[in-house]
Amino acid sequence: MSDGPRARAKTVRAGKPLAAGKAVTAGRDGCAQGGAARVAHPRDRDGELTRGQVAAMLGDLSRTLRERYGTADERRFDTARRRTLVIPVRFHALAAGRAGRLSGASVQGQIATLNAAYSGRTGGADTGVRFRLAGYDVTNRASWFYHPRKYQSRFKPRLRRGGRGTLNLYSASVGSDVLGFSTFPQWYRKSPRMDGVVVDYRSLPRGSYRRFNRGYTAVHEIGHWLGLLHTFQGGCTPPGDGVSDTPYEATPAQGCPHYKDTCPQRGDDPVHNFMNYGFDSCMRSFTPGQGRRIRAVWAAYRAPGHGR
């Protein structure tokens, strides 16, 4: 996706993070400098966790795996138990009259995008996760559609279907600064009726949000629902996102950088990872470690008979 000259991305070295709100220059991916104003803002504020929250979540995961399966070693656990996870999706489109009323083809397109991203067909690792559309409904309620964060405590309990292993995916007019928000699996036991993911309906494949219309907002938010953190979580300070093969990253990717290296630890910033920020055209991969993390979290919190 290009509407400007191809230029080499600005190289950002350790100790020199990008200034807040500053987008990087276009890289070889073909995305032009600048773009939609919202590239300077988080995709999801709910995904921005404190160091204490991350430590608590990772600690709880290790304890839960050890108590139930005898090991907290995700590599060892994964070798013994790996299987493909097929997740049923209940898609709920919120609407205000004709606004937000998605076609069946649009919904199927989003499911296809999820399967391509999580299977590695977009260029990354196969996480072992697949998605199956189990239902689609439309609810015409303007207040819910235009203010989904404010009214989520009303529409989620009324619309959600299934248990801890069913993904309830809602579309609404979330906004341009924040494109979506999600719960984490560790939160389910305290608020099961609030479990799920909300994305802006214009971010679906072929939607009207320029630069963010390939369906990758849902890919990113569902990553949180499956237990993944942002690749830039905690900056250069351990444990970061807690996944060994996603290099530390001081600042999120913005726009479409070809190259960025913001931390002294080994490895360049994972600018093309789905759990980063950036234009949809520049996101394309999960890592093997993220796949292992997803499967470990699923066994701890979402697998039938094992969640608490």
Side-chain angles (χ1 to χ4, degrees):
M1 177 177 62
S2 178
D3 53 10
R6 293 175 181 264
R8 180 169 177 79
K10 179 178 180 180
T11 300
V12 185
R13 292 290 183 182
K16 296 182 180 180
L18 286 174
K22 184 177 180 180
V24 298
T25 309
R28 293 177 184 173
D29 308 85
C31 293
Q33 182 175 359
R38 58 204 161 82
V39 301
H41 299 276
R43 283 177 178 259
D44 52 352
R45 292 192 184 102
D46 289 351
E48 305 290 341
L49 303 175
T50 66
R51 190 177 305 169
Q53 287 175 310
V54 170
M57 291 171 70
L58 294 177
D60 188 78
L61 173 61
S62 293
R63 287 191 299 273
T64 302
L65 290 173
R66 192 175 296 109
E67 290 170 2
R68 293 181 180 160
Y69 304 103
T71 181
D73 185 331
E74 292 180 19
R75 287 182 179 272
R76 180 179 171 187
F77 173 87
D78 195 54
T79 299
R81 300 180 59 87
R82 181 164 186 176
R83 61 183 179 84
T84 299
L85 301 174
V86 181
I87 301 175
V89 180
R90 295 281 184 170
F91 198 109
H92 312 283
L94 304 181
R98 300 177 68 176
R101 193 173 290 272
L102 301 172
S103 68
S106 294
V107 175
Q108 291 287 0
Q110 180 64 78
I111 299 299
T113 295
L114 296 178
N115 283 320
Y118 281 86
S119 69
R121 294 202 306 272
T122 58
D126 183 351
T127 65
V129 176
R130 304 294 185 270
F131 301 87
R132 172 181 60 84
L133 184 63
Y136 169 52
D137 54 79
V138 179
T139 300
N140 187 22
R141 187 72 64 91
S143 58
W144 296 358
F145 174 69
Y146 287 115
H147 306 285
R149 187 180 291 276
K150 178 179 178 180
Y151 289 104
Q152 62 176 320
S153 62
R154 297 188 186 181
F155 67 75
K156 282 184 175 180
R158 186 174 299 185
L159 298 178
R160 83 175 312 278
R161 298 289 184 271
R164 67 183 76 245
T166 297
L167 170 60
N168 280 263
L169 178 59
Y170 306 84
S171 63
S173 180
V174 179
S176 58
D177 288 350
V178 177
L179 302 176
F181 51 96
S182 173
T183 59
F184 285 94
Q186 289 89 336
W187 300 354
Y188 182 88
R189 59 182 177 262
K190 290 185 178 180
S191 302
R193 297 190 303 170
M194 296 299 291
D195 186 62
V197 172
V198 182
V199 298
D200 196 285
Y201 74 102
R202 292 160 290 195
S203 72
L204 267 67
R206 307 181 76 173
S208 62
Y209 263 169
R210 183 169 171 261
R211 302 191 192 281
F212 297 93
N213 62 354
R214 296 192 179 189
Y216 291 164
T217 293
V219 173
H220 177 104
E221 297 301 336
I222 291 168
H224 290 315
W225 186 82
L226 291 168
L228 297 182
L229 306 179
H230 290 139
T231 55
F232 51 86
Q233 175 66 48
C236 304
T237 304
D241 68 348
V243 177
S244 61
D245 59 3
T246 56
Y248 288 95
E249 183 178 26
T251 57
Q254 295 185 20
C256 191
H258 171 63
Y259 171 79
K260 194 159 75 80
D261 183 11
T262 57
C263 287
Q265 292 95 335
R266 180 180 300 176
D268 300 334
D269 292 6
V271 295
H272 301 299
N273 196 281
F274 284 117
M275 299 312 296
N276 212 324
Y277 291 164
F279 296 155
D280 276 12
S281 61
C282 303
M283 302 173 73
R284 54 176 173 259
S285 63
F286 289 110
T287 67
Q290 286 174 316
R292 286 191 294 271
R293 172 59 50 79
I294 287 172
R295 296 187 292 273
V297 167
W298 185 271
Y301 302 109
R302 295 200 182 278
H306 293 290
R308 60 178 183 178

